[in-house]
Amino acid sequence: MSWAGFKKSVNRAGTTLLQKTGQIERTVDREFEDEEAKYRVFEKECQALQKDSKAYWDAMRSMTSAQTRIADTLETFYSAADRTSEGAMAGHAYKRSVDDLDTSFTRELDGPYRTTILEPLGKMCAYFPVVNEHITKRNKKMLDYDSSRSKLRKLIDKPSEDPTKLPRAQQEHDESKELFDLLNEQLITELPQLLDLRVPYFDPSFEAMIRMQAKFAEEGYEKLSGVQRYFADNVRDDYAAGQLDAQVESVLQEMRELSICGGN
């Protein structure tokens, strides 16, 4: 930071302190404050959306990977017992189905999700530091304007013996006010425009997410429903009738009766 920049920072810090103690009047622009408040909500929501969208996709990837590992284990269980049993065939079919789903997810959905959802969100969020820089600059120029206005009023109320001070203070006041007004009006005009663009900007991403979720669900249903044919009809009927819980409990009771499981 240059000496001039350092000096301005010190002066602005002094102005802020004097405003807190009521010695310098602070400019209040309700219109800007309202637009900034709406912008801050939008900024927060976009950042949360970016974070949650990434977390959602990471969870989907974790789910398909975990599903594949579950299928590997189930196939091992059934194959070790009887490779020709219906259970073994179902385990193999299940593994083949989830492997296909995992491959399809990586090949057909991962890239499009990044392109149509994560990248647009990232680009939108990348604008926030730029906008915030403009807001920070506006606030600094407001402090300069408030300070110059206070100096001018003091010289008007109590004229200096130096006749050059008042014209210089007036010039400083006019220049700082012009710059502040320029930045302030720009933000008041363009912040609402930025917010108005959010719906048409995110519309394609929202539609893409729905389509990809539907595709994943449809493919999952199609592939996994094919595994059901390896189960006996009575198994499907028992499941529909809610009788499988009793069968599971019966097997658990047999396990409890084993000595190594705590049985007598």
Side-chain angles (χ1 to χ4, degrees):
M1 179 185 294
S2 65
W3 171 250
F6 175 74
K7 188 176 179 182
K8 280 187 177 182
S9 296
V10 172
N11 290 340
R12 287 165 181 158
T15 301
T16 301
L17 181 60
L18 291 171
Q19 286 178 334
K20 288 181 179 178
T21 58
Q23 297 180 58
I24 291 182
E25 182 184 357
R26 180 180 179 274
T27 296
V28 176
D29 188 324
R30 298 299 182 193
E31 187 176 8
F32 169 78
E33 290 177 356
D34 289 344
E35 296 302 338
E36 184 188 17
K38 287 184 282 188
Y39 161 74
R40 292 303 178 190
V41 172
F42 174 57
E43 179 187 28
K44 183 178 180 181
E45 289 176 343
C46 279
Q47 290 170 342
L49 187 59
Q50 182 185 36
K51 180 181 178 181
D52 291 339
S53 295
K54 185 179 184 305
Y56 166 79
W57 207 241
D58 288 342
M60 291 286 286
R61 292 176 63 87
S62 295
M63 183 196 70
T64 57
S65 297
Q67 192 172 240
T68 301
R69 293 193 297 271
I70 290 172
D72 288 338
T73 303
L74 288 175
E75 185 183 41
T76 300
F77 282 169
Y78 281 114
S79 297
D82 183 358
R83 289 180 176 273
T84 61
S85 68
E86 290 182 342
M89 288 188 287
H92 179 69
Y94 177 65
K95 183 180 185 307
R96 187 170 62 248
S97 295
V98 297
D99 282 345
D100 289 345
L101 276 174
D102 188 52
T103 300
S104 174
F105 177 86
T106 302
R107 184 181 63 246
E108 299 179 19
L109 298 179
D110 190 57
Y113 188 88
R114 294 181 184 279
T115 302
T116 61
I117 297 167
L118 294 182
E119 288 181 10
L121 277 169
K123 289 177 181 177
M124 175 59 77
C125 289
Y127 284 114
F128 295 139
V130 180
V131 176
N132 292 338
E133 187 177 337
H134 280 276
I135 293 174
T136 299
K137 186 176 181 180
R138 175 260 183 203
N139 292 339
K140 288 179 178 179
K141 296 306 177 183
M142 183 183 73
L143 287 172
D144 294 343
Y145 168 50
D146 289 347
S147 176
S148 66
R149 183 181 60 216
S150 176
K151 290 177 183 177
L152 179 62
R153 285 178 179 174
K154 287 178 181 178
L155 283 171
I156 292 173
D157 294 341
K158 188 177 180 181
S160 171
E161 293 180 0
D162 184 350
T164 63
K165 280 190 175 182
L166 183 58
R168 284 203 307 268
Q170 184 68 58
Q171 182 181 1
E172 181 182 343
H173 168 272
D174 294 345
E175 289 176 353
S176 61
K177 182 179 186 303
E178 182 181 2
L179 186 52
F180 166 70
D181 286 343
L182 177 66
L183 296 173
N184 194 55
E185 287 300 322
Q186 182 185 44
L187 286 165
I188 289 174
T189 301
E190 295 188 4
L191 283 178
Q193 293 176 3
L194 176 63
L195 268 62
D196 287 343
L197 290 171
R198 68 189 186 278
V199 171
Y201 182 81
F202 285 129
D203 260 352
S205 295
F206 179 53
E207 182 180 355
M209 172 173 274
I210 297 302
R211 287 181 179 275
M212 280 184 271
Q213 286 181 333
K215 180 177 176 61
F216 184 79
E218 288 168 0
E219 287 192 3
Y221 178 80
E222 179 184 347
K223 293 183 182 301
L224 294 177
S225 61
V227 179
Q228 294 186 47
R229 65 188 179 89
Y230 292 99
F231 292 102
D233 291 341
N234 67 299
V235 173
R236 294 197 293 272
D237 294 339
D238 289 346
Y239 175 76
Q243 297 176 5
L244 289 184
D245 288 345
Q247 293 183 27
V248 172
E249 183 58 35
S250 175
V251 175
L252 284 173
Q253 182 57 39
E254 292 182 31
M255 293 174 64
R256 295 189 194 104
E257 293 173 358
L258 296 174
S259 297
I260 57 175
C261 293
N264 295 328

